[in-house]
Amino acid sequence: RSTRRVTLFPYTTLFRSVILFLDKNLKEADSLSFHPNDCRGTVVIAREDFEQYLQCVGNQVEWIELY
């Protein structure tokens, strides 16, 4: 199982005008880690669940090649 770290504040996705540009390599990860703007912890979520969340809130996602 692979885990990738992502620096993204997921609550910003509550605003429908947000377009997320994500590294397409993240699509290969089983889970994603988010820093919830609190130094005491990290949130880990399955990639499929994160994609489902984005779809539910209506955000547009562009998977791009970063490296």
Side-chain angles (χ1 to χ4, degrees):
R1 259 184 101 153
S2 63
T3 301
R4 302 269 181 149
R5 293 199 180 271
V6 177
T7 328
L8 172 71
F9 185 48
Y11 300 112
T12 59
T13 61
L14 296 175
F15 304 103
R16 294 189 187 274
S17 62
V18 172
I19 300 173
L20 297 174
F21 294 92
L22 300 175
D23 186 339
K24 72 178 188 176
N25 290 314
L26 295 174
K27 291 189 94 161
E28 299 172 17
D30 294 328
S31 60
L32 303 171
S33 300
F34 296 95
H35 187 277
N37 289 342
D38 184 335
C39 295
R40 295 173 290 174
T42 301
V43 175
V44 179
I45 185 171
R47 180 190 38 80
E48 294 89 2
D49 292 340
F50 179 64
E51 289 177 351
Q52 184 178 16
Y53 166 76
L54 293 175
Q55 191 173 39
C56 286
V57 296
N59 288 101
Q60 181 179 344
V61 178
E62 296 287 333
W63 297 96
I64 61 174
E65 185 172 346
L66 294 177
Y67 58 93

